[in-house]
PDB file of all heavy atoms in Angstrom:
ATOM      1  N   ILE G 504      -0.410  24.128   4.985  1.00 96.00           N
ATOM      2  CA  ILE G 504      -1.528  23.889   4.056  1.00 96.00           C
ATOM      3  C   ILE G 504      -1.645  25.033   3.054  1.00 96.00           C
ATOM      4  O   ILE G 504      -1.717  24.823   1.839  1.00 96.00           O
ATOM      5  CB  ILE G 504      -2.855  23.712   4.819  1.00 96.00           C
ATOM      6  CG1 ILE G 504      -2.859  22.400   5.611  1.00 96.00           C
ATOM      7  CG2 ILE G 504      -4.050  23.747   3.860  1.00 96.00           C
ATOM      8  CD1 ILE G 504      -4.057  22.237   6.542  1.00 96.00           C
ATOM      9  N   LYS G 505      -1.649  26.276   3.581  1.00 94.00           N
ATOM     10  CA  LYS G 505      -1.861  27.409   2.687  1.00 94.00           C
ATOM     11  C   LYS G 505      -0.711  27.547   1.688  1.00 94.00           C
ATOM     12  O   LYS G 505      -0.931  27.844   0.511  1.00 94.00           O
ATOM     13  CB  LYS G 505      -2.011  28.708   3.484  1.00 94.00           C
ATOM     14  CG  LYS G 505      -2.345  29.889   2.574  1.00 94.00           C
ATOM     15  CD  LYS G 505      -2.681  31.137   3.340  1.00 94.00           C
ATOM     16  CE  LYS G 505      -2.973  32.273   2.371  1.00 94.00           C
ATOM     17  NZ  LYS G 505      -3.225  33.537   3.065  1.00 94.00           N
ATOM     18  N   THR G 506       0.511  27.314   2.155  1.00 95.00           N
ATOM     19  CA  THR G 506       1.668  27.432   1.259  1.00 95.00           C
ATOM     20  C   THR G 506       1.603  26.369   0.163  1.00 95.00           C
ATOM     21  O   THR G 506       1.746  26.674  -1.026  1.00 95.00           O
ATOM     22  CB  THR G 506       2.986  27.286   2.049  1.00 95.00           C
ATOM     23  OG1 THR G 506       2.991  28.226   3.127  1.00 95.00           O
ATOM     24  CG2 THR G 506       4.186  27.554   1.161  1.00 95.00           C
ATOM     25  N   VAL G 507       1.366  25.118   0.541  1.00 96.00           N
ATOM     26  CA  VAL G 507       1.349  24.022  -0.444  1.00 96.00           C
ATOM     27  C   VAL G 507       0.224  24.217  -1.457  1.00 96.00           C
ATOM     28  O   VAL G 507       0.391  23.945  -2.643  1.00 96.00           O
ATOM     29  CB  VAL G 507       1.220  22.654   0.269  1.00 96.00           C
ATOM     30  CG1 VAL G 507       0.976  21.532  -0.733  1.00 96.00           C
ATOM     31  CG2 VAL G 507       2.476  22.352   1.074  1.00 96.00           C
ATOM     32  N   VAL G 508      -0.916  24.720  -0.997  1.00 96.00           N
ATOM     33  CA  VAL G 508      -2.077  24.855  -1.885  1.00 96.00           C
ATOM     34  C   VAL G 508      -1.998  26.119  -2.741  1.00 96.00           C
ATOM     35  O   VAL G 508      -2.310  26.085  -3.934  1.00 96.00           O
ATOM     36  CB  VAL G 508      -3.386  24.838  -1.064  1.00 96.00           C
ATOM     37  CG1 VAL G 508      -4.579  25.201  -1.929  1.00 96.00           C
ATOM     38  CG2 VAL G 508      -3.593  23.464  -0.442  1.00 96.00           C
ATOM     39  N   CYS G 509      -1.558  27.235  -2.156  1.00 93.00           N
ATOM     40  CA  CYS G 509      -1.633  28.521  -2.870  1.00 93.00           C
ATOM     41  C   CYS G 509      -0.316  28.952  -3.512  1.00 93.00           C
ATOM     42  O   CYS G 509      -0.316  29.497  -4.615  1.00 93.00           O
ATOM     43  CB  CYS G 509      -2.111  29.617  -1.919  1.00 93.00           C
ATOM     44  SG  CYS G 509      -3.739  29.276  -1.216  1.00 93.00           S
ATOM     45  N   THR G 510       0.794  28.724  -2.838  1.00 93.00           N
ATOM     46  CA  THR G 510       2.097  29.111  -3.387  1.00 93.00           C
ATOM     47  C   THR G 510       3.084  27.972  -3.142  1.00 93.00           C
ATOM     48  O   THR G 510       4.042  28.112  -2.377  1.00 93.00           O
ATOM     49  CB  THR G 510       2.623  30.413  -2.735  1.00 93.00           C
ATOM     50  OG1 THR G 510       2.568  30.256  -1.300  1.00 93.00           O
ATOM     51  CG2 THR G 510       1.819  31.621  -3.141  1.00 93.00           C
ATOM     52  N   PRO G 511       2.852  26.808  -3.767  1.00 96.00           N
ATOM     53  CA  PRO G 511       3.639  25.609  -3.446  1.00 96.00           C
ATOM     54  C   PRO G 511       5.140  25.782  -3.630  1.00 96.00           C
ATOM     55  O   PRO G 511       5.930  25.181  -2.898  1.00 96.00           O
ATOM     56  CB  PRO G 511       3.076  24.535  -4.381  1.00 96.00           C
ATOM     57  CG  PRO G 511       2.307  25.251  -5.432  1.00 96.00           C
ATOM     58  CD  PRO G 511       1.830  26.522  -4.804  1.00 96.00           C
ATOM     59  N   GLU G 512       5.527  26.635  -4.581  1.00 94.00           N
ATOM     60  CA  GLU G 512       6.961  26.825  -4.843  1.00 94.00           C
ATOM     61  C   GLU G 512       7.696  27.410  -3.640  1.00 94.00           C
ATOM     62  O   GLU G 512       8.932  27.397  -3.588  1.00 94.00           O
ATOM     63  CB  GLU G 512       7.161  27.720  -6.084  1.00 94.00           C
ATOM     64  CG  GLU G 512       6.573  29.112  -6.007  1.00 94.00           C
ATOM     65  CD  GLU G 512       5.079  29.202  -6.334  1.00 94.00           C
ATOM     66  OE1 GLU G 512       4.410  28.149  -6.434  1.00 94.00           O
ATOM     67  OE2 GLU G 512       4.581  30.337  -6.472  1.00 94.00           O
ATOM     68  N   LYS G 513       6.956  27.918  -2.625  1.00 94.00           N
ATOM     69  CA  LYS G 513       7.592  28.506  -1.432  1.00 94.00           C
ATOM     70  C   LYS G 513       7.658  27.526  -0.256  1.00 94.00           C
ATOM     71  O   LYS G 513       8.073  27.883   0.836  1.00 94.00           O
ATOM     72  CB  LYS G 513       6.819  29.761  -1.009  1.00 94.00           C
ATOM     73  CG  LYS G 513       6.909  30.866  -2.049  1.00 94.00           C
ATOM     74  CD  LYS G 513       6.104  32.086  -1.657  1.00 94.00           C
ATOM     75  CE  LYS G 513       6.213  33.159  -2.738  1.00 94.00           C
ATOM     76  NZ  LYS G 513       5.363  34.318  -2.454  1.00 94.00           N
ATOM     77  N   THR G 514       7.250  26.274  -0.480  1.00 95.00           N
ATOM     78  CA  THR G 514       7.274  25.277   0.597  1.00 95.00           C
ATOM     79  C   THR G 514       8.713  24.929   0.963  1.00 95.00           C
ATOM     80  O   THR G 514       9.555  24.748   0.088  1.00 95.00           O
ATOM     81  CB  THR G 514       6.552  23.979   0.147  1.00 95.00           C
ATOM     82  OG1 THR G 514       5.276  24.331  -0.392  1.00 95.00           O
ATOM     83  CG2 THR G 514       6.374  23.024   1.319  1.00 95.00           C
ATOM     84  N   THR G 515       8.979  24.823   2.260  1.00 94.00           N
ATOM     85  CA  THR G 515      10.325  24.472   2.718  1.00 94.00           C
ATOM     86  C   THR G 515      10.275  23.211   3.586  1.00 94.00           C
ATOM     87  O   THR G 515       9.220  22.844   4.108  1.00 94.00           O
ATOM     88  CB  THR G 515      10.934  25.604   3.565  1.00 94.00           C
ATOM     89  OG1 THR G 515      10.135  25.772   4.751  1.00 94.00           O
ATOM     90  CG2 THR G 515      10.974  26.922   2.793  1.00 94.00           C
ATOM     91  N   LYS G 516      11.435  22.606   3.781  1.00 95.00           N
ATOM     92  CA  LYS G 516      11.535  21.422   4.645  1.00 95.00           C
ATOM     93  C   LYS G 516      11.174  21.807   6.080  1.00 95.00           C
ATOM     94  O   LYS G 516      10.580  21.016   6.811  1.00 95.00           O
ATOM     95  CB  LYS G 516      12.949  20.839   4.576  1.00 95.00           C
ATOM     96  CG  LYS G 516      13.083  19.504   5.336  1.00 95.00           C
ATOM     97  CD  LYS G 516      14.428  18.863   5.113  1.00 95.00           C
ATOM     98  CE  LYS G 516      14.487  17.460   5.698  1.00 95.00           C
ATOM     99  NZ  LYS G 516      14.285  17.402   7.140  1.00 95.00           N
ATOM    100  N   ARG G 517      11.516  23.028   6.479  1.00 94.00           N
ATOM    101  CA  ARG G 517      11.186  23.478   7.842  1.00 94.00           C
ATOM    102  C   ARG G 517       9.672  23.457   8.062  1.00 94.00           C
ATOM    103  O   ARG G 517       9.190  23.036   9.104  1.00 94.00           O
ATOM    104  CB  ARG G 517      11.750  24.876   8.097  1.00 94.00           C
ATOM    105  CG  ARG G 517      11.559  25.346   9.548  1.00 94.00           C
ATOM    106  CD  ARG G 517      12.021  26.771   9.762  1.00 94.00           C
ATOM    107  NE  ARG G 517      13.464  26.864   9.691  1.00 94.00           N
ATOM    108  CZ  ARG G 517      14.121  27.622   8.818  1.00 94.00           C
ATOM    109  NH1 ARG G 517      13.450  28.338   7.930  1.00 94.00           N
ATOM    110  NH2 ARG G 517      15.434  27.676   8.802  1.00 94.00           N
ATOM    111  N   MET G 518       8.913  23.900   7.046  1.00 94.00           N
ATOM    112  CA  MET G 518       7.445  23.884   7.162  1.00 94.00           C
ATOM    113  C   MET G 518       6.933  22.452   7.292  1.00 94.00           C
ATOM    114  O   MET G 518       6.052  22.170   8.086  1.00 94.00           O
ATOM    115  CB  MET G 518       6.803  24.525   5.921  1.00 94.00           C
ATOM    116  CG  MET G 518       6.972  26.008   5.810  1.00 94.00           C
ATOM    117  SD  MET G 518       6.181  26.549   4.269  1.00 94.00           S
ATOM    118  CE  MET G 518       6.936  28.152   4.068  1.00 94.00           C
ATOM    119  N   TYR G 519       7.499  21.560   6.455  1.00 95.00           N
ATOM    120  CA  TYR G 519       7.083  20.150   6.476  1.00 95.00           C
ATOM    121  C   TYR G 519       7.395  19.537   7.843  1.00 95.00           C
ATOM    122  O   TYR G 519       6.583  18.804   8.409  1.00 95.00           O
ATOM    123  CB  TYR G 519       7.818  19.393   5.357  1.00 95.00           C
ATOM    124  CG  TYR G 519       7.558  17.899   5.316  1.00 95.00           C
ATOM    125  CD1 TYR G 519       6.510  17.371   4.572  1.00 95.00           C
ATOM    126  CD2 TYR G 519       8.377  17.011   6.025  1.00 95.00           C
ATOM    127  CE1 TYR G 519       6.274  16.001   4.525  1.00 95.00           C
ATOM    128  CE2 TYR G 519       8.153  15.640   5.988  1.00 95.00           C
ATOM    129  CZ  TYR G 519       7.094  15.145   5.239  1.00 95.00           C
ATOM    130  OH  TYR G 519       6.862  13.781   5.206  1.00 95.00           O
TER     131      TYR G 519
END
Side-chain angles (χ1 to χ4, degrees):
I504 291 172
K505 185 172 179 184
T506 306
V507 171
V508 171
C509 301
T510 52
E512 60 278 11
K513 295 178 181 175
T514 310
T515 63
K516 186 173 188 299
R517 186 185 290 121
M518 289 179 198
Y519 176 90

